[in-house]
Amino acid sequence: MRTLSVLAIAGLMAVGTAARADAEAAKATATGLCAGCHGAKGISAADSFPNLAGQKKGYLITALKAYRDKSRNAPMMNGMAGSLSDQQIEDLAAYFSGLKPE
């Protein structure tokens, strides 16, 4: 139990020291990689693609990492997320979570 607590604290400290998400840096990636399905401002024109604008940052990070490592299976998203770094995922999550849903 004590080992688990130490590991949890270490994990939280690592999160605090990680590079901060940069929504501005994600604009180009979002426009080039995501906009075709999810819309230029994170609002999809098609019912088959979810809106990303205003989505919770933590959810977006978890989802993109799951698509990237293929623990969440969606071939199109697995391919799109497959080349993203952790920093790019953080940036994209900051970008889309900061957009206002329409």
Side-chain angles (χ1 to χ4, degrees):
M1 184 75 132
R2 182 175 177 194
T3 302
L4 182 59
S5 296
V6 171
L7 290 174
I9 291 169
L12 288 173
M13 289 172 62
V15 168
T17 59
R20 298 223 182 261
D22 184 353
E24 196 61 35
K27 265 188 178 179
T29 303
T31 301
L33 191 63
C34 310
C37 297
H38 297 286
K41 294 185 179 182
I43 305 295
S44 173
D47 289 342
S48 57
F49 302 114
N51 293 335
L52 300 180
Q55 185 59 264
K56 293 181 179 182
K57 183 179 173 186
Y59 171 79
L60 291 169
I61 291 168
T62 300
L64 284 170
K65 286 182 177 181
Y67 286 128
R68 182 182 65 189
D69 71 19
K70 297 184 180 166
S71 62
R72 186 169 178 178
N73 187 28
M76 186 180 296
M77 281 303 302
N78 297 139
M80 295 290 184
S83 64
L84 296 174
S85 68
D86 284 345
Q87 186 62 54
Q88 287 173 308
I89 288 173
E90 291 275 339
D91 293 347
L92 284 167
Y95 175 73
F96 283 114
S97 67
L99 295 176
K100 293 194 187 284
E102 294 177 1

